[in-house]
């Protein structure tokens, strides 16, 4: 059986924690899209880790961790990350890399930086990990697939051809040093030697695993609102963040995905530019940021302070719908315990009309939040609670209110960063 763990919003919903938790019962965990531009923070018995490329199942010795074909694979980053966990006594994880995954090249990272520099104040707020140039090249059919590392003739010819076009832009648009094909070839030889032991025909491996009844987790990066088609284009990421893409980015049939666990955080946060309707500012935002997540809402990859906001029912309802949600995991609820009243965004006012349907980007920019305030559960620490009925009444009401608004069953409530901080819940919406 295949389960997908994906985000409903802008990312940073706590997918890493939920994947790490569910990985206990899984055989295989697959990253199917994105690259090292976002991170998951995981707290477990080995300590606290920020993962960018490795799937969140690497901390168990019974799991196989897979980098699927849909990922933007940065080979040096992958190997540094493996080292960073094994240096802290995590046993060497079993890793497989799809032979059809494409690689982030050193020039992708440079192009990302140069373009943000060129755009200045109009930049996308890219993490400069090379993701947009990488996916552009993939679809322009000048990307490098892992399999190609093992075909020397092809590689030699291709580095020259690609350097030719890239160098025109480097010279005339960015006025930066040119790519030297021989040096690039050398780098690719290093990549080949690093990745060789892990390369695998992943779709075949997964097909056999599914026939044997193995359980597979697909781990998404970012969330619905960063999807290039269904998100806040153009302030999106460059690969699909939807569970449906899990089938493509891992190489499995779509009908195999029988459970879609969409992670929603009990308040909102976002990184990068783009409309964010329920955003809050000043001291109100600073306090939520300071108290948020596990040690504050700062980017796991960049350390950037995240933009903060109240829970957005409009965005989350849409986010859950596009994911094809079967279960919602509602996270970081413990953090809201300091508030007397908790504002929730229940609608968007656009040109004088209120809607609960998430609009296209140009309308989104005009949207103002319609807020409703719910009573808080101040003074009652909800960490450590294991049964939904034992939560303070106002806390249960908050969950029930959100569930009603978004229309998808909240079957898991996370009340702390640890693996065991989870409350399973019977939802009236669960079919
Ligand atoms: P991801 O990219 O979706 O995995 O999210 P991040 O890892 O960037 O952000 C989630 C943050 O919240 C991490 O620091 C987690 O350790 C933390 N976290 C996850 N669930 C909970 C929770 O229920 N309560 C608290 N306090 N922190 C949580």
């Amino acid at each position: 059986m295949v389960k997908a763990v994906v985000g409903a919003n802008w990312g940073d919903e706590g997918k890493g924690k939920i994947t790490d938790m569910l990985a206990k019962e899984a055989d295989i965990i697959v990253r199917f899209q994105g690259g090292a531009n976002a991170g998951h923070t995981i707290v477990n018995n080995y300590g606290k880790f920020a993962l960018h490329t490795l799937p969140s199942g690497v901390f168990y010795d019974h799991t196989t961790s897979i980098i699927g074909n849909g990922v933007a694979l940065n080979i040096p980053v992958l190997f540094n990350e493996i080292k960073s966990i094994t240096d802290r006594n995590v046993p060497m994880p079993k890793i497989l890399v799809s032979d059809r995954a494409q690689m982030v090249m050193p020039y992708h990272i440079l192009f990302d930086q140069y373009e943000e520099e060129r755009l200045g104040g109009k930049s996308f707020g890219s993490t400069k990990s090379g993701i947009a140039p990488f996916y552009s090249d993939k679809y322009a059919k000048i990307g490098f697939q892992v399999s190609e590392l093992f075909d020397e003739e092809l590689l030699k010819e291709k580095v020259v051809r690609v350097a030719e076009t890239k160098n025109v832009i480097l010279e005339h648009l960015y006025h930066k040093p040119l790519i030297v094909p021989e040096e690039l070839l050398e780098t690719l030889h290093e990549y080949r030697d690093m990745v060789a032991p892990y390369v695998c025909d992943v779709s075949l491996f997964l097909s056999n695993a599914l026939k044997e009844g193995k359980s597979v987790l697909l781990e998404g990066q970012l969330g619905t609102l960063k999807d290039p088609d269904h998100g806040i284009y153009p302030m999106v990421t460059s690969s699909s963040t939807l569970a449906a893409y899990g089938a493509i980015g891992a190489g499995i049939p779509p009908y195999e995905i029988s459970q879609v666990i969409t992670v929603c955080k009990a308040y909102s946060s976002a990184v990068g530019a783009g409309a964010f309707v329920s955003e809050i500012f000043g001291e109100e935002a600073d306090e939520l940021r300071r108290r948020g997540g596990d040690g504050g809402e700062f980017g796991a990859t960049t350390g950037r302070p995240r933009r903060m906001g109240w829970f957005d029912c409009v965005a989350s309802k849409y986010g859950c719908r596009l994911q094809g949600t079967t279960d919602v995991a509602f996270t970081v609820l413990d953090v809201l315990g300091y508030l007397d009243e908790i504002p929730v965004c229940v609608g968007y006012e656009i040109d004088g009309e209120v809607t609960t349907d998430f609009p296209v980007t140009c309308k989104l920019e005009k949207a103002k939040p319609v807020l409703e305030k719910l009573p808080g559960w101040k003074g009652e620490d909800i960490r450590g609670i294991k049964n939904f009925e034992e939560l303070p009444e106002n806390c249960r009401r908050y969950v029930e209110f959100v569930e009603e608004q978004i229309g998808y069953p909240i079957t898991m409530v996370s009340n702390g960063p640890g693996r065991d901080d989870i409350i399973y819940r019977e939802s009236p919406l669960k079919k």
Side-chain angles (χ1 to χ4, degrees), residues 143-174:
F144 285 81
Q145 219 177 52
V146 165
S147 64
E148 294 172 349
L149 291 173
F150 304 92
D151 186 333
E152 188 63 16
E153 280 313 300
L154 176 149
L155 215 52
K156 267 191 186 147
E157 177 272 325
K158 193 163 170 179
V159 290
V160 173
R161 179 160 49 86
V162 172
E164 240 165 46
T165 58
K166 296 289 168 199
N167 281 345
V168 175
I169 306 171
L170 285 170
E171 186 174 351
H172 297 289
L173 182 65
Y174 298 126

Tab-separated table of all heavy atoms in Angstrom, residues 143-174:
chain	number	residue	atom	x	y	z
A	143	GLY	N	18.901	18.666	-19.321
A	143	GLY	CA	19.323	18.252	-17.982
A	143	GLY	C	20.193	17.005	-18.060
A	143	GLY	O	20.270	16.350	-19.104
A	144	PHE	N	20.844	16.683	-16.956
A	144	PHE	CA	21.694	15.486	-16.884
A	144	PHE	C	21.031	14.462	-15.965
A	144	PHE	O	20.799	14.721	-14.787
A	144	PHE	CB	23.080	15.844	-16.333
A	144	PHE	CG	23.959	16.563	-17.313
A	144	PHE	CD1	23.825	17.931	-17.521
A	144	PHE	CD2	24.927	15.858	-18.032
A	144	PHE	CE1	24.644	18.600	-18.424
A	144	PHE	CE2	25.748	16.515	-18.937
A	144	PHE	CZ	25.614	17.890	-19.140
A	145	GLN	N	20.758	13.287	-16.532
A	145	GLN	CA	20.160	12.205	-15.764
A	145	GLN	C	21.281	11.379	-15.118
A	145	GLN	O	22.343	11.208	-15.733
A	145	GLN	CB	19.374	11.317	-16.737
A	145	GLN	CG	18.081	10.806	-16.181
A	145	GLN	CD	17.297	9.982	-17.185
A	145	GLN	OE1	17.833	9.039	-17.776
A	145	GLN	NE2	16.034	10.314	-17.358
A	146	VAL	N	21.005	10.851	-13.930
A	146	VAL	CA	22.008	10.023	-13.240
A	146	VAL	C	22.533	8.920	-14.166
A	146	VAL	O	23.737	8.659	-14.231
A	146	VAL	CB	21.413	9.434	-11.937
A	146	VAL	CG1	22.265	8.299	-11.400
A	146	VAL	CG2	21.259	10.541	-10.883
A	147	SER	N	21.649	8.301	-14.931
A	147	SER	CA	22.060	7.196	-15.816
A	147	SER	C	23.140	7.632	-16.803
A	147	SER	O	24.002	6.845	-17.196
A	147	SER	CB	20.849	6.686	-16.595
A	147	SER	OG	20.369	7.707	-17.443
A	148	GLU	N	23.102	8.921	-17.173
A	148	GLU	CA	24.052	9.410	-18.181
A	148	GLU	C	25.484	9.508	-17.652
A	148	GLU	O	26.432	9.573	-18.434
A	148	GLU	CB	23.588	10.782	-18.708
A	148	GLU	CG	22.283	10.683	-19.479
A	148	GLU	CD	21.689	12.034	-19.861
A	148	GLU	OE1	22.164	13.083	-19.372
A	148	GLU	OE2	20.733	12.038	-20.642
A	149	LEU	N	25.613	9.512	-16.323
A	149	LEU	CA	26.964	9.563	-15.744
A	149	LEU	C	27.774	8.341	-16.158
A	149	LEU	O	29.002	8.349	-16.116
A	149	LEU	CB	26.884	9.596	-14.216
A	149	LEU	CG	26.332	10.858	-13.573
A	149	LEU	CD1	26.161	10.653	-12.075
A	149	LEU	CD2	27.256	12.047	-13.837
A	150	PHE	N	27.054	7.272	-16.522
A	150	PHE	CA	27.734	6.014	-16.818
A	150	PHE	C	27.919	5.789	-18.314
A	150	PHE	O	28.235	4.691	-18.751
A	150	PHE	CB	26.972	4.860	-16.136
A	150	PHE	CG	26.844	5.099	-14.663
A	150	PHE	CD1	25.740	5.757	-14.132
A	150	PHE	CD2	27.886	4.743	-13.803
A	150	PHE	CE1	25.649	6.029	-12.775
A	150	PHE	CE2	27.803	5.013	-12.438
A	150	PHE	CZ	26.682	5.658	-11.925
A	151	ASP	N	27.735	6.854	-19.090
A	151	ASP	CA	27.953	6.780	-20.534
A	151	ASP	C	28.934	7.902	-20.911
A	151	ASP	O	28.543	9.035	-21.174
A	151	ASP	CB	26.617	6.953	-21.264
A	151	ASP	CG	26.738	6.750	-22.768
A	151	ASP	OD1	27.843	6.977	-23.321
A	151	ASP	OD2	25.730	6.377	-23.391
A	152	GLU	N	30.210	7.547	-20.882
A	152	GLU	CA	31.272	8.549	-21.027
A	152	GLU	C	31.186	9.312	-22.349
A	152	GLU	O	31.370	10.522	-22.383
A	152	GLU	CB	32.633	7.852	-20.866
A	152	GLU	CG	33.822	8.775	-20.808
A	152	GLU	CD	33.836	9.735	-19.607
A	152	GLU	OE1	33.090	9.519	-18.641
A	152	GLU	OE2	34.590	10.735	-19.669
A	153	GLU	N	30.889	8.588	-23.437
A	153	GLU	CA	30.830	9.249	-24.757
A	153	GLU	C	29.757	10.339	-24.750
A	153	GLU	O	29.991	11.482	-25.140
A	153	GLU	CB	30.474	8.204	-25.838
A	153	GLU	CG	31.647	7.362	-26.277
A	153	GLU	CD	32.887	8.199	-26.585
A	153	GLU	OE1	32.788	9.056	-27.492
A	153	GLU	OE2	33.935	8.009	-25.920
A	154	LEU	N	28.585	9.949	-24.277
A	154	LEU	CA	27.449	10.873	-24.220
A	154	LEU	C	27.790	12.096	-23.354
A	154	LEU	O	27.547	13.240	-23.726
A	154	LEU	CB	26.248	10.121	-23.633
A	154	LEU	CG	24.954	10.900	-23.373
A	154	LEU	CD1	23.762	9.964	-23.540
A	154	LEU	CD2	24.898	11.544	-22.008
A	155	LEU	N	28.396	11.801	-22.222
A	155	LEU	CA	28.703	12.856	-21.260
A	155	LEU	C	29.661	13.890	-21.852
A	155	LEU	O	29.459	15.098	-21.735
A	155	LEU	CB	29.329	12.195	-20.031
A	155	LEU	CG	29.026	12.767	-18.662
A	155	LEU	CD1	27.542	12.920	-18.424
A	155	LEU	CD2	29.630	11.868	-17.586
A	156	LYS	N	30.699	13.388	-22.514
A	156	LYS	CA	31.730	14.266	-23.108
A	156	LYS	C	31.113	15.210	-24.119
A	156	LYS	O	31.419	16.400	-24.149
A	156	LYS	CB	32.787	13.405	-23.823
A	156	LYS	CG	33.960	13.060	-22.940
A	156	LYS	CD	35.053	12.452	-23.821
A	156	LYS	CE	36.187	11.962	-22.983
A	156	LYS	NZ	36.823	10.784	-23.552
A	157	GLU	N	30.239	14.666	-24.942
A	157	GLU	CA	29.619	15.468	-25.991
A	157	GLU	C	28.639	16.468	-25.370
A	157	GLU	O	28.583	17.632	-25.741
A	157	GLU	CB	28.906	14.497	-26.954
A	157	GLU	CG	28.140	15.127	-28.089
A	157	GLU	CD	26.697	15.463	-27.739
A	157	GLU	OE1	26.048	14.719	-26.967
A	157	GLU	OE2	26.239	16.501	-28.242
A	158	LYS	N	27.909	15.998	-24.356
A	158	LYS	CA	26.838	16.830	-23.784
A	158	LYS	C	27.373	18.014	-22.985
A	158	LYS	O	26.805	19.100	-23.045
A	158	LYS	CB	25.935	15.948	-22.913
A	158	LYS	CG	24.632	16.612	-22.534
A	158	LYS	CD	23.649	15.575	-22.067
A	158	LYS	CE	22.425	16.185	-21.447
A	158	LYS	NZ	21.443	15.194	-21.016
A	159	VAL	N	28.472	17.831	-22.252
A	159	VAL	CA	28.993	18.971	-21.469
A	159	VAL	C	29.415	20.103	-22.404
A	159	VAL	O	29.204	21.276	-22.101
A	159	VAL	CB	30.168	18.623	-20.507
A	159	VAL	CG1	29.706	17.771	-19.348
A	159	VAL	CG2	31.324	17.967	-21.203
A	160	VAL	N	29.962	19.759	-23.553
A	160	VAL	CA	30.394	20.786	-24.510
A	160	VAL	C	29.161	21.513	-25.061
A	160	VAL	O	29.106	22.743	-25.098
A	160	VAL	CB	31.207	20.152	-25.673
A	160	VAL	CG1	31.504	21.181	-26.758
A	160	VAL	CG2	32.495	19.524	-25.141
A	161	ARG	N	28.160	20.742	-25.442
A	161	ARG	CA	26.949	21.309	-26.039
A	161	ARG	C	26.213	22.208	-25.045
A	161	ARG	O	25.785	23.311	-25.378
A	161	ARG	CB	26.053	20.139	-26.495
A	161	ARG	CG	24.750	20.550	-27.125
A	161	ARG	CD	24.175	19.405	-27.967
A	161	ARG	NE	24.143	18.112	-27.284
A	161	ARG	CZ	23.149	17.715	-26.491
A	161	ARG	NH1	22.134	18.505	-26.242
A	161	ARG	NH2	23.178	16.514	-25.919
A	162	VAL	N	26.091	21.740	-23.805
A	162	VAL	CA	25.352	22.527	-22.815
A	162	VAL	C	26.147	23.777	-22.429
A	162	VAL	O	25.586	24.871	-22.311
A	162	VAL	CB	25.002	21.661	-21.578
A	162	VAL	CG1	24.413	22.509	-20.466
A	162	VAL	CG2	24.022	20.557	-21.979
A	163	ALA	N	27.464	23.626	-22.290
A	163	ALA	CA	28.294	24.780	-21.916
A	163	ALA	C	28.171	25.886	-22.964
A	163	ALA	O	28.146	27.074	-22.627
A	163	ALA	CB	29.750	24.353	-21.748
A	164	GLU	N	28.050	25.485	-24.214
A	164	GLU	CA	27.937	26.455	-25.306
A	164	GLU	C	26.745	27.409	-25.093
A	164	GLU	O	26.895	28.625	-25.152
A	164	GLU	CB	27.698	25.697	-26.610
A	164	GLU	CG	28.758	25.928	-27.670
A	164	GLU	CD	28.627	24.866	-28.767
A	164	GLU	OE1	27.493	24.593	-29.223
A	164	GLU	OE2	29.670	24.298	-29.117
A	165	THR	N	25.589	26.835	-24.816
A	165	THR	CA	24.398	27.701	-24.644
A	165	THR	C	24.454	28.460	-23.317
A	165	THR	O	24.111	29.637	-23.253
A	165	THR	CB	23.069	26.908	-24.702
A	165	THR	OG1	23.113	25.918	-23.696
A	165	THR	CG2	22.833	26.262	-26.029
A	166	LYS	N	24.897	27.787	-22.286
A	166	LYS	CA	24.952	28.458	-20.966
A	166	LYS	C	25.938	29.627	-21.015
A	166	LYS	O	25.707	30.662	-20.395
A	166	LYS	CB	25.389	27.475	-19.871
A	166	LYS	CG	24.433	26.339	-19.635
A	166	LYS	CD	23.171	26.813	-18.954
A	166	LYS	CE	22.107	25.753	-18.973
A	166	LYS	NZ	20.775	26.289	-18.735
A	167	ASN	N	27.028	29.434	-21.727
A	167	ASN	CA	28.072	30.468	-21.737
A	167	ASN	C	27.617	31.757	-22.435
A	167	ASN	O	28.085	32.833	-22.091
A	167	ASN	CB	29.355	29.925	-22.364
A	167	ASN	CG	30.127	29.065	-21.353
A	167	ASN	OD1	29.844	29.130	-20.156
A	167	ASN	ND2	31.076	28.279	-21.830
A	168	VAL	N	26.700	31.614	-23.377
A	168	VAL	CA	26.183	32.830	-24.030
A	168	VAL	C	25.500	33.715	-22.978
A	168	VAL	O	25.713	34.922	-22.906
A	168	VAL	CB	25.178	32.464	-25.158
A	168	VAL	CG1	24.545	33.723	-25.748
A	168	VAL	CG2	25.872	31.648	-26.233
A	169	ILE	N	24.697	33.066	-22.150
A	169	ILE	CA	23.968	33.830	-21.113
A	169	ILE	C	24.925	34.343	-20.041
A	169	ILE	O	24.830	35.486	-19.595
A	169	ILE	CB	22.866	32.957	-20.480
A	169	ILE	CG1	21.959	32.398	-21.586
A	169	ILE	CG2	22.033	33.749	-19.482
A	169	ILE	CD1	20.978	31.360	-21.129
A	170	LEU	N	25.865	33.488	-19.647
A	170	LEU	CA	26.828	33.910	-18.615
A	170	LEU	C	27.605	35.137	-19.077
A	170	LEU	O	27.806	36.085	-18.327
A	170	LEU	CB	27.799	32.769	-18.286
A	170	LEU	CG	27.210	31.645	-17.429
A	170	LEU	CD1	28.161	30.450	-17.375
A	170	LEU	CD2	26.920	32.140	-16.001
A	171	GLU	N	28.004	35.108	-20.344
A	171	GLU	CA	28.825	36.203	-20.854
A	171	GLU	C	27.993	37.477	-21.071
A	171	GLU	O	28.353	38.546	-20.592
A	171	GLU	CB	29.489	35.777	-22.174
A	171	GLU	CG	30.475	36.830	-22.675
A	171	GLU	CD	31.247	36.357	-23.913
A	171	GLU	OE1	31.148	35.165	-24.274
A	171	GLU	OE2	31.950	37.191	-24.498
A	172	HIS	N	26.866	37.331	-21.770
A	172	HIS	CA	26.169	38.533	-22.236
A	172	HIS	C	25.069	39.047	-21.308
A	172	HIS	O	24.744	40.218	-21.338
A	172	HIS	CB	25.611	38.294	-23.642
A	172	HIS	CG	26.699	38.045	-24.633
A	172	HIS	ND1	27.554	39.038	-25.068
A	172	HIS	CD2	27.121	36.892	-25.213
A	172	HIS	CE1	28.436	38.519	-25.910
A	172	HIS	NE2	28.192	37.211	-26.014
A	173	LEU	N	24.487	38.156	-20.501
A	173	LEU	CA	23.431	38.641	-19.611
A	173	LEU	C	23.981	38.924	-18.211
A	173	LEU	O	23.724	39.966	-17.630
A	173	LEU	CB	22.292	37.615	-19.535
A	173	LEU	CG	21.096	38.017	-18.678
A	173	LEU	CD1	20.363	39.223	-19.258
A	173	LEU	CD2	20.100	36.858	-18.531
A	174	TYR	N	24.754	37.960	-17.684
A	174	TYR	CA	25.194	38.096	-16.291
A	174	TYR	C	26.615	38.647	-16.145
A	174	TYR	O	27.002	39.040	-15.055
A	174	TYR	CB	25.093	36.742	-15.585
A	174	TYR	CG	23.679	36.187	-15.509
A	174	TYR	CD1	23.377	34.906	-15.985
A	174	TYR	CD2	22.649	36.940	-14.949
A	174	TYR	CE1	22.088	34.400	-15.902
A	174	TYR	CE2	21.354	36.438	-14.870
A	174	TYR	CZ	21.081	35.172	-15.346
A	174	TYR	OH	19.804	34.670	-15.259
